[in-house]
Amino acid sequence: MNQREKEAYLREYAVLKASGKPFFPYIIVKDGVMMIVVVGVIMLLSLLLGGELTAKADATTTTYAPRPEWYYFWAFELLRVIKPPYLVSLAAVGVPTIAMLLLFLLPFYDRNPERHPLRRPIATTAGIFVVGAMFFLSYLGAEAEPPSQVNIGAPPAVEEAGGATMLKWDAGRRLVAQSGCGGCHKIGPNGNDGPGPPLTEIGDRLKEGAIRETLINPTQPMPSFANLGADQLDKMAFFLASLKSSGEAEAHTGSGAEGVGDDPAGGEATDTDGQSGGGY
């Protein structure tokens, strides 16, 4: 803003100030009335439509998936998009802090006297990008299924077998969900896309015995599930082995020895290409 524009601005400001309305009580009363109207509308909608109530808190559950309110879905999804652990602090604290600083410092670095959006292409483009990114991330956050659940239907072969096979498959599905596998792996619509590989079609690459062996002796940083016991490991391996692109599964049940026996390498975690599969 040059000297001539500054003088014109000060003259216009003096005219508007002389003909304007005082902050107190005019603005205070106006804002107060508007706040009462907004709170009244919210209370009326709550009485007419009812408030959303979730299940009672249960300290013993292992499948609870905390989710933020809808207006924080964009930040929630941002933590899922930025995968490397050393960048988590940047996503959780750094990005919101930088955005707030840019807003506070806006009057100091944006001295352009133009106010029409078409005459400020950089500011307009940046604003559209930020708002668009927040809408997109909010949509992804709203659509994301909880990582502590596995919402996958049983393969046709398992459903046809029914009985003990179906019970074993469903028990394995719940064990995988409760064991936190979704924290690092994508399983159908659930889980996080990293740092581990997706497990949605893990049955195409690893047989049941290899999966069981990997659960016992995984590659770091994946934890070992050996302390779950043979029966639980069998159920988890059976369920994971049923995750195939064709949707087919070997409909059989059995003990831990059966799961290991499916591995042609004698229990060594080996994929279908013959390569060592110490981790998923």
Side-chain angles (χ1 to χ4, degrees), residues 1-14 111-115 119:
M1 182 179 294
N2 54 37
Q3 185 62 28
R4 184 177 60 82
E5 292 173 339
K6 185 176 181 180
E7 292 176 354
Y9 169 78
L10 292 176
R11 285 196 298 271
E12 183 181 2
Y13 176 76
R111 310 302 294 271
N112 191 338
E114 296 289 347
R115 289 294 178 263
R119 296 172 183 167

Side-chain angles (χ1 to χ4, degrees), residues 45-232:
L45 291 176
S46 299
L47 293 174
L48 294 178
L49 304 178
E52 180 183 4
L53 297 177
T54 57
K56 293 177 64 176
D58 183 2
T60 64
T61 182
T62 59
T63 59
Y64 176 69
R67 289 170 64 84
E69 299 293 341
W70 63 269
Y71 40 83
Y72 283 130
F73 276 164
W74 65 271
F76 172 67
E77 189 62 21
L78 192 62
L79 290 172
R80 292 160 54 91
V81 172
I82 300 180
K83 300 174 185 176
Y86 57 90
L87 292 179
V88 170
S89 57
L90 174 64
V93 181
V95 173
T97 302
I98 292 173
M100 292 297 295
L101 285 175
L102 289 176
L103 282 177
F104 279 119
L105 297 176
L106 181 63
F108 298 97
Y109 64 82
D110 185 6
R111 310 302 294 271
N112 191 338
E114 296 289 347
R115 289 294 178 263
H116 196 286
L118 296 179
R119 296 172 183 167
R120 306 181 64 188
I122 296 178
T124 301
T125 303
I128 292 175
F129 173 77
V130 172
V131 174
M134 292 180 68
F135 269 100
F136 180 66
L137 292 174
S138 297
Y139 170 76
L140 294 180
E143 290 293 313
E145 296 285 346
S148 57
Q149 298 178 12
V150 177
N151 301 323
I152 287 181
V158 174
E159 287 187 342
E160 291 176 4
T165 302
M166 187 66 194
L167 291 176
K168 181 179 180 180
W169 183 90
D170 191 57
R173 181 179 64 85
R174 285 185 280 110
L175 278 169
V176 168
Q178 295 169 0
S179 300
C181 299
C184 299
H185 299 278
K186 189 81 173 178
I187 307 175
N190 300 93
N192 296 319
D193 192 14
L199 303 181
T200 306
E201 297 175 354
I202 184 66
D204 289 343
R205 297 186 291 111
L206 293 176
K207 294 186 177 181
E208 185 175 340
I211 293 174
R212 190 180 189 279
E213 185 63 24
T214 303
L215 291 172
I216 298 173
N217 299 305
T219 301
Q220 295 296 330
M222 176 177 164
S224 173
F225 294 91
N227 59 348
L228 292 179
D231 183 60
Q232 308 281 60

Side-chain angles (χ1 to χ4, degrees), residues 238-254:
F238 178 69
F239 166 73
L240 291 170
S242 74
L243 302 178
K244 298 181 178 180
S245 57
S246 61
E248 298 178 353
E250 297 178 5
H252 59 84
T253 60

